[in-house]
Amino acid sequence: QVQLVQSGAEVKKPGSSVKVSCKASGGTFSGFGVSWVRQAPGQGLEWMGGIIPIFGTKTYGHSFRGRVTITTDESSNTAHMELSSLTSVDTAVYYCARVAVEMAAILTYYFDSWGQGTLVTVSS
Amino acid sequence: EVVLTQSPGTLSLSPGERATLSCRASQSVSSSCFTWYQHKPGQAPRLLIYNTSSRATDTPDRFSGSGSGTDFTLTISRLEPEDFAVYYCQQYSSSRWTFGQGTKVEIK
C-alpha cells in the first residue's frame, strides 16, 4: 500500500509563497495522477488542482487559477504544490492525494491514498 | 462548476442504528466518478466508496453507496463506534473535482 508523506508545517507572511511536497513510498505516482486538497479551520474539503491520470493534464480549481502550481518529479516519486500571493484565508491544512484510474467501459477516477496533511499558517 | 449539497449537515445517531447520508448535484454527474470519503479529526481523509457503489479494499460491507444522475446516497447499515466521523461526497466532471460540504455523523 502506498504511503504519501508530506513536508512539515509552515508559517508564512502575507504576500509570500509556500511550497509543499508529497513523497510516495511503497508505491509510485507513475500511472496515477495527483491532486491537492485543503481544509481551512472549521471548513470542509476544497479541491485545489491536480494532474489527471493517463492524460497528464494539469487542471486547477477556479478559486486558485493563476496562484497554484502543481508538479511531479517521477525520479523521486514526489509531487509539489506551490501557492503564491498568500493571505490569511489561505491558512489551512493542505493534503496531497493520489488519483487512481480504472479503465472499464468508462473511466473511473478516485483518490485512493492521502498524505497526512501539512498545516500552513499565514500570519504577519 | 458542479455544486454538491449534502444533507443533513449533522446526523445524531446511536451505535447500531442505520445512517442515511444524501448528496445532491447541481447537474447530472457521471456515476463512474462519484466517490465518498470518511474524515476523522487529525487524520487524512479515507476512501470509502468509489464508482458510486464500489467499496474500497478495506471498507466494511456495512457501508453501501447508490444513486445516479443528481442524487446519491451513502448508507451505513449499523453504526459502529469507529464510524462517527465526517463524510464527504465528491464528483469529477469537465476535468475538475468538487466536494460536498460534508455530513457529520455524531454520537447521540
Side-chain angles (χ1 to χ4, degrees):
Chain A
Q1 176 104 8
V2 68
Q3 200 172 9
L4 303 183
V5 180
Q6 297 183 221
S7 50
E10 302 260 14
V11 179
K12 293 292 183 180
K13 298 286 189 189
S16 66
S17 299
V18 67
K19 191 170 186 177
V20 181
S21 67
C22 170
K23 184 173 176 61
S25 63
T28 178
F29 285 116
S30 180
F32 296 84
V34 64
S35 266
W36 289 85
V37 176
R38 77 177 184 182
Q39 184 176 38
Q43 303 298 309
L45 301 178
E46 181 180 23
W47 178 74
M48 299 177 66
I51 300 173
I52 299 173
I54 302 175
F55 304 104
T57 309
K58 293 183 183 180
T59 176
Y60 300 102
H62 295 302
S63 303
F64 300 96
R65 190 174 290 177
R67 279 211 303 144
V68 65
T69 303
I70 293 169
T71 56
T72 56
D73 179 352
E74 290 200 359
S75 65
S76 63
N77 273 330
T78 303
H80 301 275
M81 183 282 298
E82 185 168 19
L83 185 63
S84 62
S85 303
L86 294 170
T87 72
S88 59
V89 300
D90 294 313
T91 293
V93 176
Y94 290 77
Y95 295 98
C96 62
R98 192 176 73 166
V99 184
V101 58
E102 291 187 359
M103 293 176 281
I106 190 167
L107 289 178
T108 295
Y109 293 122
Y110 51 93
F111 297 1
D112 70 342
S113 299
W114 294 70
Q116 83 278 15
T118 296
L119 175 62
V120 175
T121 303
V122 183
S123 173
S124 55
Chain B
E1 178 178 289
V2 176
V3 176
L4 298 178
T5 302
Q6 293 187 239
S7 61
T10 302
L11 203 49
S12 299
L13 295 167
S14 301
E17 289 194 292
R18 181 184 185 91
T20 303
L21 288 68
S22 174
C23 182
R24 176 162 288 180
S26 58
Q27 61 193 74
S28 185
V29 301
S30 170
S31 298
S32 69
C33 294
F34 192 88
T35 312
W36 290 94
Y37 300 90
Q38 179 191 68
H39 194 198
K40 296 180 180 179
Q43 298 184 20
R46 170 195 168 198
L47 173 68
L48 269 185
I49 301 281
Y50 65 98
N51 192 18
T52 296
S53 59
S54 300
R55 279 186 288 272
T57 304
D58 56 355
T59 300
D61 60 9
R62 62 181 180 273
F63 290 90
S64 63
S66 63
S68 65
T70 61
D71 291 296
F72 296 83
T73 300
L74 174 69
T75 303
I76 311 172
S77 60
R78 286 179 56 86
L79 283 164
E80 297 287 339
E82 62 268 26
D83 299 337
F84 292 93
V86 180
Y87 293 84
Y88 293 93
C89 57
Q90 179 204 47
Q91 69 82 39
Y92 170 83
S93 65
S94 302
S95 302
R96 288 182 176 82
W97 282 271
T98 54
F99 288 94
Q101 83 279 18
T103 290
K104 181 179 182 180
V105 178
E106 65 176 20
I107 300 177
K108 186 174 182 181

